[in-house]
Amino acid sequence: MSSIAASPSFSGTASALRRLYFVRFAFAIVWALVMFTTAANLGPLAVTLLVLYPLFDVGAAIVDARSSRATGSPALLYVNVAVSSITAIGVAIACASGIPAVLRVWGAWAIVAGAVQLIVAVPRRKMGGQWPMILSGGISVLAGASFILGAAAPNPTLTNAAGYAIPGGIFFLISAFRLGRTAKRRH
């Protein structure tokens, strides 16, 4: 590990991100499990969950931005806050038009949020624990495209959207564990 990665600012950021990533893992898994129970239609629970997920992402991006100021500019994280906020509104509106509309909004969000995650994680590689975030960002972009394409299916469901949260959650968990080494190097 380089002296940069062991610096107090990296270890403090790593510790904060580690806690955030554990919370993101738990949220994603619980959200996906509940979403699977209602993925066939847009009932009140599904609508609530679909709006809640990007809102949770807003909160997580804010915590991330505040935690990581010492290691770089949080500008892209604030872009993610804006995109996820707009997505929550867009999903709420799309729910009135049906599952295909929701999948299109969800897909566009997955593409943009995945690209932001990828771009934020690349310079954080020196901190450690970011390869899972890089992979997750890339997969999110691909998944987003599949949601948009899936919106044209004969009987689209939200099952893939629910399933999308599970790998993302697992990547957050792996990253959290990998960040443990950097977090323990506090000075």
Side-chain angles (χ1 to χ4, degrees):
M1 182 172 288
S2 72
S3 61
I4 294 172
S7 74
S9 62
F10 269 159
S11 62
T13 300
S15 181
L17 289 177
R18 187 170 195 252
R19 286 188 303 273
L20 175 63
Y21 289 178
F22 279 128
V23 170
R24 290 194 75 160
F25 161 74
F27 177 82
I29 298 303
V30 170
W31 182 90
L33 293 175
V34 176
M35 189 66 198
F36 274 128
T37 68
T38 186
N41 60 51
L42 278 173
L45 179 58
V47 171
T48 301
L49 289 169
L50 289 165
V51 172
L52 180 62
Y53 198 95
L55 289 177
F56 182 83
D57 197 53
V58 167
I62 290 169
V63 169
D64 190 335
R66 289 181 179 164
S67 300
S68 59
R69 282 193 177 144
T71 60
S73 171
L76 278 175
L77 293 167
Y78 289 119
V79 167
N80 195 49
V81 167
V83 168
S84 293
S85 297
I86 291 166
T87 299
I89 295 165
V91 166
I93 293 168
C95 284
S97 297
I99 290 175
V102 171
L103 288 173
R104 287 183 193 99
V105 172
W106 197 264
W109 174 56
I111 290 169
V112 175
V116 168
Q117 182 179 13
L118 176 67
I119 294 166
V120 167
V122 168
R124 286 181 174 177
R125 286 186 331 270
K126 295 173 190 159
M127 185 184 335
Q130 294 303 301
W131 282 107
M133 296 295 89
I134 292 168
L135 290 171
S136 180
I139 290 168
S140 184
V141 170
L142 297 174
S146 76
F147 297 147
I148 292 169
L149 294 172
N155 292 310
T157 70
L158 300 168
T159 304
N160 288 342
Y164 164 74
I166 294 172
I170 291 169
F171 281 124
F172 276 114
L173 180 64
I174 294 167
S175 236
F177 282 124
R178 293 182 54 101
L179 281 170
R181 287 179 283 198
T182 305
K184 289 177 184 173
R185 295 187 184 268
R186 290 184 148 231
H187 293 250

